[in-house]
Amino acid sequence: MKITFPHMGTTLIFAKLFELFDHEIIMPPRPSKKTIDLGVKHSPEFACFPFKVIMGSYLEAIEAGADTIVTSGGHGPCRAGYYGELHKKILDDFGHQVNFIIFNAPQDNWSKFMENLKKIKAKKSWFNFWRNLKIIYKLAKAIDNVEKIVEQKRAYSPNGEVDLIWKKAKEEFNKINTIDEIEFVETKVKADLDSLSIHLPADKDRIKIGIIGEIYVVMEESINNYIEEKLNSFGVEVERSHYLSDWIDDTFLPFFGESTKIKAKGQQYIKIGIGGHAQESVGRIVDYKDRGFHGVIHLKPFGCLPELVSQSMLDKIAKDLNIPILSISIDEQIAEANILTRVEAFLDMVRQQKSLEERKIKHG
Amino acid sequence: MGKLKLGIPRALLYYFYYPFWEKLFSELDIELIVSNYTSREQLDKGIKYSISEICVPIKVYIGHVLDLINQGVDYVYIPRIISIKKNIFLCPKFLGLPDMIKNSIPEIENKILTHQITAKDDSLAGFKNYLGMADKLNISKWKLFWALQKANSHWQEHRKTQLQVNIDKKVLTIALIGYVYNIYDRFINMDLLRHLREMGINIVTFEMVDSQIIEQEVKLFPKPMFWEFTNKLLGAGYHFLKSPDIDGIIYVSAFGCGPDSILGSFLEIDANQANKPFMTLRIDEQTGESHLLTRIEAFVDLLKLKKS
């Protein structure tokens, strides 16, 4: 069984998961122009962009020898829950013989879920199984903890020292096998970041931008044109609305995660869950405003169903809360220069609004 | 005090549920005002208040809401239909419809009459769904209860008449797969039905298929879709694929429709394997009539050739 999976965010976590169970892995290549072209060619025209990119990833991985695809399902109403089935249908139509292991929510079909788990567990004992899951969970948490610091400090490190540490950290994390090792690496990387001579400016001089939207385009930097790095390079701090460990929390421990609290904050604008992360997206804007952020960037794939609903409220929310919001729709035709220009103009506006407000406070 | 004037946009599920709403609100002594037929001008207004990327049916809907506000109604009825089958929803845009309208059109919040509907089957008559609305309109629960019963039986009768179709096997029969608001809005689909009828073609749609047949077909599918109306199209679509009476299938889909992008691919692949002529017609606010005509004519010519 040669396993591959969609490329989303820090893929080393998924790779580690299968590695711990002694599976052979075909790493999906980082989505490139070629991946996207391949995916677009073989996907329905109006499928959302992540579907097309993942399609391209699968085709590349199959070419490299993968015969099993592991992915997640869902029960809607967002289209993403149906990706697995449609990918399978289209790949079958091409005559590619690949197995799909699609993880739907366990309560939908227990026996199917257990069957899938056993395929992943392979020859390991259940004891090892739980131990491995725990390692993966801790790993996801540790990586996200480090990344949050990176997203802040990188704004004040124009020479790329932070990036260097972050790159090395990912390599180190890739080598771990036990929880102790994860803790060791995390402490070490944090110490390295601390030892850099970076001085965070005084609170009033910092600019913080939140990134919200659809999970795939927010987390997969090769698709959103490395928007976080770009924002950092303009000297602003960034925080995303999605981190892998939060996603694990929300999926498996829905009542303990943060998302219930976040959703409640957007109640006024969007009453019920409508699929995807639309409700969280709206709640996050309110949350970012409460936490003193200066602007919000909304990312979504072209034609995304739930995020279109949240996008249609952005103007009103921006006005109500007095926070600048930039919405960027991402598809195969987006160009880097386009994003750069819009982000630059947006940041000018954010800075201007910030100084306007400061003046207002000063003069009463 | 005169009767309350309630506006119903002639868009989206109007084309499926209007007989129900008509009976319900007349029983409740509410004056119903249906917006004007979709027109260029009206759609343009809708486009102005919607984000550019959203599907045409939503733009049309917003146009109709504005039309009603112009006509001076007291409220516009915008129900939030969450599901009409257990664990199966409607498209996210229906789930967020009142939120979307409220936050897109300025100063409309007090003009919206909305309530949530979660039902086990196609009927919208679940009493509990309407309680909040009844309080707001000062209607007694008894009156509401009976009005719902009457509206429901009226609607069920209406559905039964839709099922009686006679297929004349001598002429071509085309199955139109598409949501009610794309098939029956004459403006948005450039009067597709009339064009087909003028060519002497029988037309069947999903409402003409017994819901039991639809459900059977859906059960055969590995994983049902998440959206109830898409499931109906899926069931009807696969039924048409197998039915020898159907000469060809036209899939009418709106630009940017998400559920269609999923179902359309399944049907297209399987129609190909079943050797059933299949064409996708994409409609949007810029579709030209001659373009549409050319494509239909070519498709019909092909079917005629195949039949003879």
Side-chain angles (χ1 to χ4, degrees), chain A residues 152-264:
Chain A
Q152 189 181 53
K153 290 208 163 168
R154 196 161 48 188
Y156 311 108
S157 134
N159 301 327
E161 303 97 331
V162 173
D163 255 338
L164 207 68
I165 296 178
W166 175 223
K167 206 176 144 210
K168 259 208 244 138
K170 282 192 269 191
E171 282 164 19
E172 293 286 317
F173 275 125
N174 204 14
K175 286 184 206 141
I176 62 98
N177 278 312
T178 62
I179 291 181
D180 286 349
E181 283 169 15
I182 298 173
E183 278 165 4
F184 174 75
V185 175
E186 187 182 349
T187 336
K188 189 172 154 279
V189 173
K190 278 184 178 164
D192 284 351
L193 285 169
D194 276 343
S195 70
L196 289 176
S197 55
I198 291 174
H199 300 289
L200 293 185
D203 254 358
K204 68 172 179 50
D205 294 326
R206 291 161 66 179
I207 294 185
K208 287 184 268 181
I209 302 285
I211 298 183
I212 58 162
E214 192 272 340
I215 186 165
Y216 185 83
V217 292
V218 168
M219 291 208 356
E220 180 52 50
E221 42 183 24
S222 62
I223 290 308
N224 64 32
N225 277 282
Y226 302 91
I227 194 158
E228 286 176 80
E229 277 176 38
K230 289 209 172 93
L231 285 164
N232 282 154
S233 72
F234 287 121
V236 301
E237 296 172 27
V238 191
E239 194 184 305
R240 299 197 301 250
S241 60
H242 299 290
Y243 291 90
L244 193 64
S245 57
D246 295 343
W247 179 81
I248 298 175
D249 282 346
D250 292 342
T251 313
F252 300 102
L253 311 156
F255 301 107
F256 299 98
E258 210 193 357
S259 80
T260 329
K261 229 169 48 204
I262 297 293
K263 283 179 194 163

Side-chain angles (χ1 to χ4, degrees), chain A residues 44-46 74 76-79 81-82 86 89 104 268-269 271-272 274 300 302-303 308 312-313 316 329, chain B residues 51 53 80 92 95 99-100 102-103 116 221 223-224 226-227 255-256 258 261 265-266 269-270 273 282:
Chain A
E45 188 183 355
F46 283 99
C78 165
R79 273 182 283 180
Y82 221 90
L86 187 55
K89 182 88 186 168
N104 284 306
Q268 184 196 347
Y269 298 100
K271 291 256 160 36
I272 59 159
I274 60 160
K300 70 161 211 305
F302 178 84
L308 269 171
S312 55
M313 302 168 186
K316 178 135 191 294
S329 183
Chain B
I51 43 176
E53 245 171 71
R80 188 199 299 275
L95 269 60
D99 297 327
M100 207 156 45
K102 191 176 84 186
N103 293 304
Q116 294 190 7
F221 211 66
K223 182 178 178 178
F226 312 133
W227 317 282
F255 179 91
S261 70
S265 327
F266 275 97
I269 291 173
D270 285 328
Q273 279 164 11
R282 187 104 54 209

Side-chain angles (χ1 to χ4, degrees), chain A residues 27 48 56-57 134 188 198 203 256 278 287 345:
Chain A
M27 269 306 263
C48 32
S57 292
K134 210 169 145 195
K188 189 172 154 279
I198 291 174
D203 254 358
F256 299 98
D287 181 54

Side-chain angles (χ1 to χ4, degrees), chain B residues 255-267:
Chain B
F255 179 91
C257 176
D260 273 357
S261 70
I262 305 272
L263 176 62
S265 327
F266 275 97
L267 280 175

Side-chain angles (χ1 to χ4, degrees), chain A residues 73-83 85 104 108, chain B residues 82 87-91 223-231:
Chain A
H75 50 251
C78 165
R79 273 182 283 180
Y82 221 90
Y83 280 9
E85 268 74 15
N104 284 306
D108 288 358
Chain B
I82 297 174
N87 287 333
I88 305 273
F89 304 93
L90 266 73
C91 168
K223 182 178 178 178
M225 303 268 159
F226 312 133
W227 317 282
E228 180 50 21
F229 279 95
T230 315
N231 265 333

Side-chain angles (χ1 to χ4, degrees), chain B residues 35-301:
Chain B
S35 54
N36 291 310
Y37 288 99
T38 316
S39 65
R40 185 76 246 172
E41 200 189 335
Q42 197 196 51
L43 175 59
D44 283 344
K45 275 188 197 147
I47 291 171
K48 223 172 121 188
Y49 284 99
S50 36
I51 43 176
S52 56
E53 245 171 71
I54 211 147
C55 58
V56 201
I58 297 287
K59 292 177 182 168
V60 172
Y61 192 85
I62 294 181
H64 281 275
V65 172
L66 290 165
D67 183 76
L68 287 167
I69 298 285
N70 248 345
Q71 291 191 38
V73 295
D74 296 316
Y75 290 112
V76 183
Y77 183 58
I78 307 178
R80 188 199 299 275
I81 306 180
I82 297 174
S83 77
I84 48 173
K85 194 175 184 186
K86 206 179 167 214
N87 287 333
I88 305 273
F89 304 93
L90 266 73
C91 168
K93 288 169 196 162
F94 284 92
L95 269 60
L97 192 60
D99 297 327
M100 207 156 45
I101 303 290
K102 191 176 84 186
N103 293 304
S104 311
I105 305 175
E107 278 153 38
I108 197 179
E109 199 166 344
N110 300 325
K111 290 248 173 196
I112 295 179
L113 180 67
T114 182
H115 63 107
Q116 294 190 7
I117 296 180
T118 30
K120 285 196 275 322
D121 56 21
D122 287 358
S123 155
L124 297 183
F127 181 58
K128 273 190 191 156
N129 290 324
Y130 293 82
L131 287 177
M133 189 184 86
D135 284 347
K136 191 170 176 182
L137 299 179
N138 251 332
I139 294 168
S140 79
K141 283 182 181 137
W142 270 114
K143 196 170 168 186
L144 173 72
F145 181 79
W146 287 114
L148 281 169
Q149 298 303 316
K150 280 183 193 162
N152 190 34
S153 55
H154 177 71
W155 186 71
Q156 300 290 2
E157 281 303 312
H158 164 79
R159 286 286 287 140
K160 267 182 216 154
T161 57
Q162 285 185 318
L163 289 173
Q164 293 154 1
V165 230
N166 301 313
I167 292 183
D168 179 1
K169 287 183 184 161
K170 274 175 252 136
V171 293
L172 284 178
T173 305
I174 290 183
L176 282 186
I177 301 185
Y179 302 106
V180 283
Y181 43 85
N182 292 334
I183 302 276
Y184 299 115
D185 190 323
R186 269 181 284 174
F187 177 81
I188 198 174
N189 67 24
M190 318 263 150
D191 226 344
L192 176 68
L193 292 182
R194 186 177 57 95
H195 287 309
L196 286 172
R197 283 206 191 102
E198 276 174 5
M199 294 178 197
I201 287 165
N202 275 330
I203 301 166
V204 284
T205 58
F206 84 87
E207 306 104 283
M208 302 176 192
V209 181
D210 197 325
S211 55
Q212 277 177 341
I213 297 178
I214 290 184
E215 267 173 38
Q216 258 169 24
E217 291 289 341
V218 173
K219 264 186 207 143
L220 291 176
F221 211 66
K223 182 178 178 178
M225 303 268 159
F226 312 133
W227 317 282
E228 180 50 21
F229 279 95
T230 315
N231 265 333
K232 289 191 197 310
L233 295 189
L234 179 141
Y238 276 91
H239 171 69
F240 294 145
L241 277 187
K242 288 173 195 162
S243 158
D245 295 341
I246 307 290
D247 296 300
I249 298 174
I250 298 182
Y251 195 126
V252 184
S253 166
F255 179 91
C257 176
D260 273 357
S261 70
I262 305 272
L263 176 62
S265 327
F266 275 97
L267 280 175
E268 201 168 337
I269 291 173
D270 285 328
N272 210 357
Q273 279 164 11
N275 200 17
K276 182 79 79 183
F278 184 92
M279 173 169 81
T280 307
L281 269 189
R282 187 104 54 209
I283 47 178
D284 65 17
E285 60 260 50
Q286 285 150 17
T287 318
E289 194 165 354
S290 53
H291 144 237
L292 186 104
L293 262 177
T294 319
R295 291 198 59 198
I296 307 175
E297 277 168 8
F299 188 67
V300 170
D301 283 348

